[in-house]
Amino acid sequence: AFFWLVSLLLSSLIWFIAVKASDPHDEPLQKGLLIFGVMFSVLLQEAFRFLYYKLLRKAIEGLVALSEDGCSPISIQQMAYVAGVGFGLMSGAFSMINLLADALGPGTVGIHGDSQLYFLTSAFMTMVLIFLHTFWGILFFHGCENRRWWEIAAVIVMHLAVSGSTFCNPLYVGSLVPSYLLMAAAAVWAYLLSGGSAQNLRRFLLCK
Amino acid sequence: MTELSAHLPQFQHGQLTENFPDNHLSNTNDSSERRRHDNSERRRNDNPGSETNGQPQNNIQQVVEQDEEEDEELTLKYGAKHVIMLFVPVTLCMVVVVATIKSVSFYTRKDGQLIYTPFTEETETIGQRALNSILNAAIMISVIIVMTILLVVLYKYRCYKVIHGWLIISSLLLLFFFSFIYLGEVFKTYNVAMDYITVALMIWNFGVVGMICIHWKGPLRLQQAYLIMISALMALVFIKYLPEWTAWLILAVISVYDLVAVLCPKGPLRMLVETAQERNETLFPALIYSSTMVWLVNMAEEDPEAQRKASKNSTYDKQAPANQTQNEDTDADDGGFSQEWQQQRDNRIGPIESTPESRAAVQALPSNSQTSEDPEERGVKLGLGDFIFYSVLVGKASATASGDWNTTLACFVAILIGLCLTLLLLAIFKKALPALPISITFGLVFYFATDNLVQPFMDQLAFHQFYI
């Protein structure tokens, strides 16, 4: 969570500088700058995920070196999951919490002609992002562990795609549908990478 | 409001400085390492099965090294547990403060200032405002420094009665007066009709139970809860009566002061901790949050033995301020304690942190105490001043930030990470460390950064419904 926060800080710093240096009345330019800010932020987030991976790697080596039976009390997969959840929770909290606070107060959604589904779609989008961050954490760490660069590249591309799809909001079908599809794909992939299989799933569902 | 400010200075006089000696984490002292090695050496040498009689030296060397590694490993393992043990109370305190700030408008209303910050911040120019806030911060810090030095002097010259009286008066004031005001404001906010008799009864019970819990004996959870409550009350007072820039300046300067006071050889807080350790006494129980209470281990059959060893230890105590007894004193201060120590635990009474525990321990000796302790029970301690200033930071962030919840959340995470780092350093250095600097620095950086940089960005993103 902290690492995500720092990445957000840096990316907003860049965006802020860009905005201050540009003309505030030029609408398309501002929107373009915002888009640039979003992309840059996505890249920074992934970079910080990588840095976090490095830090955890060092921590695991330390734990293994000091432990009695040569294996650390927490595995890298667990750490990947936790890292993903941390990123997701922080990103979700930052996206939603002001909305929720405002939702407690009086008001009408979309009174000025905007979409009336604003809160709903925000909630769904946030949820899909939290899940995605969790899965991306697992995929990313797995890719780093086994030196499969294409997995890491896939995560980055997916993140860019999801963020990019939100640019067609308020045309919600353009953002929510692809995001959920990507989430399903990432879920299956992460599940398989974590050692799951169709048999496991069946056994779990049938409570064997 | 005049009577309020009249009371407050007296209160401030008392409580502030008492909290400040405890802006540090207490943990083991340096000699615990040696002590552990002594114990392990003794144990290994006593081991009848040892066959390497011809090479005792190498044995001891290896043993010492192994012990060091085991100690470190266990320290790390238990270190994580202690981090969580401190996260919960710090989070609770912050949650209480933020919840109050958000709901009760009394604490965000400007109703004057303390006499410790005489310069107003409503000036015409920014330069004037900056100057005023610097002066305010300077006055406040000098008051704190004077009070801390006074406390250390009193402690050094063994004026315990004065200190105890001071502590009791300030906790009385906190528990009765401030909670009365708080309760009144909460009732006003929610428009609850209440009569004086019920309020008097409630406050009386709350206050008396609080005094007993904090200064005498009480269930651990209740004591912790009361300490959290009084920290939150104190933080709310600060948030209300300190003007904006002064508050941030004070936070910054306090963390620098904390760093200096705890780490410099002549720093007052360091002298306080060292004097306490020399005399094998605990620091004031009313001002430190302790995450566990150390119970005596005794199983039924070991009681006479333990009693004998206890008396032996008490005489040994007087003989030498040696590693052993010092460690007994501070063992409960240890985060992560080694297994060897664990096994030797029935030897020591451990003049535990606070008188409640030591009395409980002594009483537990003859009566077969059933509570057995496991290594994880050893806790870490955090001064109440740290709680207060963390909560002040987060409370101020939630009260005055334009980014509102984002800023609050960012400061909260920053403070917790700072606390994590501080505890990590504690596990590495194993001596009293200041808990404020890292967390407050992170908190301040994140507050200003989030408020000014992240907030507009997130606003724009939310407006267009872009997601990052």
Side-chain angles (χ1 to χ4, degrees):
Chain A
F2 182 67
F3 274 71
W4 187 89
L5 207 55
V6 175
S7 83
L8 178 66
L9 209 85
L10 289 175
S11 49
S12 48
L13 176 66
I14 305 280
W15 176 82
F16 191 74
I17 295 175
V19 163
K20 284 299 175 202
S22 69
D23 176 16
H25 296 295
D26 189 359
E27 273 295 330
L29 176 66
Q30 292 299 317
K31 196 151 184 204
L33 274 182
L34 198 62
I35 293 182
F36 159 71
V38 168
M39 292 294 148
F40 191 72
S41 176
V42 166
L43 293 174
L44 260 184
Q45 280 178 45
E46 297 303 326
F48 270 84
R49 210 197 292 269
F50 183 67
L51 282 177
Y52 193 52
Y53 165 75
K54 282 267 173 250
L55 183 71
L56 286 182
R57 196 96 203 94
K58 283 226 174 73
I60 277 202
E61 280 165 18
L63 280 176
V64 164
L66 293 176
S67 80
E68 293 162 348
D69 48 0
C71 62
S72 93
I74 178 170
S75 73
I76 189 80
Q77 285 92 350
Q78 284 172 313
M79 282 193 184
Y81 174 68
V82 169
V85 170
F87 264 59
L89 280 181
M90 208 52 196
S91 120
F94 259 67
S95 310
M96 266 318 269
I97 201 161
N98 274 331
L99 256 75
L100 288 173
D102 284 337
L104 280 178
T108 311
V109 186
I111 195 169
H112 289 296
D114 302 307
S115 160
Q116 287 179 346
L117 299 172
Y118 186 77
F119 281 150
L120 263 182
T121 49
S122 299
F124 277 114
M125 198 65 209
T126 311
M127 184 175 82
V128 82
L129 257 186
I130 297 180
F131 276 132
L132 274 173
H133 269 294
T134 315
F135 300 137
W136 285 335
I138 301 179
L139 293 173
F140 195 91
F141 277 45
H142 184 261
C144 288
E145 277 290 297
N146 304 28
R147 302 241 172 276
R148 294 204 202 150
W149 308 117
W150 61 275
E151 273 183 21
I152 300 175
V155 167
I156 300 180
V157 164
M158 259 200 275
H159 196 165
L160 282 172
V162 168
S163 283
S165 73
T166 62
F167 293 153
C168 35
N169 280 339
L171 184 67
Y172 293 122
V173 70
S175 68
L176 280 177
V177 170
S179 307
Y180 272 89
L181 289 176
L182 276 177
M183 183 190 89
V188 168
W189 193 3
Y191 182 65
L192 290 174
L193 279 184
S194 313
S197 65
Q199 280 101 339
N200 279 351
L201 194 60
R202 210 179 323 131
R203 257 186 273 146
F204 168 73
L205 287 174
L206 299 176
C207 295
K208 285 232 178 78
Chain B
M1 276 302 144
T2 46
E3 72 271 20
L4 187 63
S5 23
H7 281 287
L8 271 171
Q10 178 201 357
F11 164 82
Q12 295 292 19
H13 211 69
Q15 190 66 16
L16 249 188
T17 55
E18 292 150 27
N19 285 333
F20 284 103
D22 306 298
N23 285 350
H24 60 274
L25 296 177
S26 310
N27 210 329
T28 73
N29 62 358
D30 313 332
S31 36
S32 59
E33 300 269 18
R34 266 173 288 153
R35 199 312 180 95
R36 263 178 244 152
H37 297 152
D38 290 342
N39 282 341
S40 52
E41 281 174 43
R42 250 190 318 209
R43 210 175 37 143
R44 298 281 199 279
N45 289 339
D46 289 342
N47 185 4
S50 162
E51 284 163 352
T52 59
N53 284 333
Q55 301 154 351
Q57 292 300 81
N58 295 347
N59 213 359
I60 293 177
Q61 279 296 82
Q62 284 172 352
V63 154
V64 164
E65 279 161 21
Q66 277 174 14
D67 290 339
E68 274 182 25
E69 287 176 16
E70 285 176 22
D71 291 346
E72 276 179 45
E73 173 219 336
L74 282 158
T75 308
L76 279 179
K77 258 198 223 164
Y78 299 139
K81 195 164 179 7
H82 296 134
V83 169
I84 303 296
M85 282 203 276
L86 276 187
F87 267 17
V88 174
V90 170
T91 311
L92 272 180
C93 193
M94 287 195 225
V95 161
V96 168
V97 168
V98 170
T100 310
I101 295 270
K102 285 291 181 195
S103 53
V104 179
S105 64
F106 173 72
Y107 288 103
T108 39
R109 229 170 33 224
K110 237 166 127 55
D111 278 333
Q113 295 179 204
L114 299 170
I115 64 163
Y116 296 104
T117 53
F119 297 96
T120 175
E121 275 197 17
E122 268 125 56
T123 59
E124 281 111 35
T125 66
I126 294 200
Q128 186 70 19
R129 184 176 187 185
L131 183 67
N132 279 359
S133 51
I134 291 178
L135 288 173
N136 278 342
I139 295 178
M140 189 71 126
I141 293 294
S142 30
V143 166
I144 289 171
I145 294 180
V146 162
M147 286 303 159
T148 316
I149 294 182
L150 186 64
L151 183 70
V152 172
V153 160
L154 281 177
Y155 190 68
K156 252 188 137 57
Y157 291 112
R158 297 178 191 268
C159 310
Y160 293 140
K161 293 232 185 295
V162 178
I163 297 182
H164 281 305
W166 187 3
L167 281 179
I168 288 184
I169 290 181
S170 34
S171 38
L172 263 176
L173 200 59
L174 254 183
L175 280 172
F176 287 99
F177 188 58
F178 282 100
S179 42
F180 173 62
I181 294 181
Y182 179 77
L183 203 60
E185 291 305 323
V186 168
F187 285 151
K188 272 188 223 167
T189 308
Y190 292 109
N191 213 9
V192 173
M194 182 66 72
D195 55 305
Y196 274 119
I197 301 180
T198 316
V199 166
L201 216 56
M202 283 202 289
I203 296 290
W204 173 253
N205 280 326
F206 179 75
V208 167
V209 175
M211 289 300 288
I212 294 178
C213 263
I214 296 175
H215 292 281
W216 195 48
K217 291 196 247 192
L220 178 68
R221 290 284 174 227
L222 198 57
Q223 184 187 28
Q224 292 175 337
Y226 267 104
L227 289 175
I228 294 178
M229 280 191 269
I230 65 178
S231 308
L233 281 175
M234 193 61 203
L236 284 169
V237 165
F238 273 136
I239 295 176
K240 181 173 170 64
Y241 286 108
L242 285 180
E244 286 272 350
W245 292 15
T246 311
W248 298 115
L249 265 177
I250 286 185
L251 277 174
V253 180
I254 264 278
S255 44
V256 170
Y257 167 69
D258 198 26
L259 196 61
V260 162
V262 174
L263 293 181
C264 283
K266 278 298 169 193
L269 297 183
R270 179 164 173 163
M271 280 170 37
L272 190 69
V273 171
E274 284 174 357
T275 318
Q277 284 175 351
E278 271 170 39
R279 296 184 192 167
N280 286 326
E281 283 166 5
T282 68
L283 290 170
F284 317 108
L287 303 176
I288 302 191
Y289 178 93
S290 152
S291 51
T292 66
M293 220 179 240
V294 177
W295 295 99
L296 247 223
V297 70
N298 292 308
M299 309 295 190
E301 58 273 25
E302 289 176 36
D303 274 346
E305 201 186 29
Q307 218 166 357
R308 242 188 311 119
K309 285 181 187 162
S311 50
K312 191 170 61 160
N313 273 337
S314 51
T315 52
Y316 188 80
D317 197 356
K318 298 194 181 48
Q319 281 166 15
N323 311 340
Q324 191 147 16
T325 53
Q326 254 179 317
N327 283 317
E328 288 170 11
D329 175 35
T330 54
D331 57 3
D333 287 358
D334 272 345
F337 230 87
S338 69
Q339 281 296 336
E340 302 111 296
W341 184 86
Q342 189 57 31
Q343 292 161 17
Q344 306 271 336
R345 203 184 30 196
D346 34 332
N347 270 354
R348 52 197 84 105
I349 276 197
I352 314 168
E353 280 43 80
S354 57
T355 36
E357 287 126 350
S358 53
R359 252 179 259 159
V362 165
Q363 283 169 6
L365 264 180
S367 69
N368 305 335
S369 165
Q370 70 287 6
T371 51
S372 72
E373 191 194 328
D374 53 296
E376 279 102 52
E377 285 285 346
R378 218 125 6 252
V380 76
K381 298 142 91 64
L382 187 59
L384 282 195
D386 301 327
F387 277 88
I388 293 180
F389 282 106
Y390 293 161
S391 311
V392 166
L393 199 150
V394 174
K396 266 267 182 245
S398 76
T400 62
S402 57
D404 234 11
W405 288 99
N406 279 348
T407 319
T408 313
L409 200 57
C411 288
F412 170 68
V413 170
I415 288 182
L416 284 186
I417 295 288
L419 190 62
C420 246
L421 278 175
T422 313
L423 285 172
L424 193 67
L425 287 179
L426 193 67
I428 296 178
F429 289 116
K430 296 199 197 336
K431 55 181 207 170
L433 284 182
L436 279 184
I438 302 182
S439 290
I440 299 280
T441 315
F442 276 4
L444 285 175
V445 163
F446 270 79
Y447 171 74
F448 286 111
T450 314
D451 205 25
N452 298 320
L453 298 175
V454 175
Q455 169 52 21
F457 188 43
M458 296 302 293
D459 243 357
Q460 284 293 307
L461 287 182
F463 180 67
H464 292 286
Q465 247 185 337
F466 292 166
Y467 279 84
I468 55 168

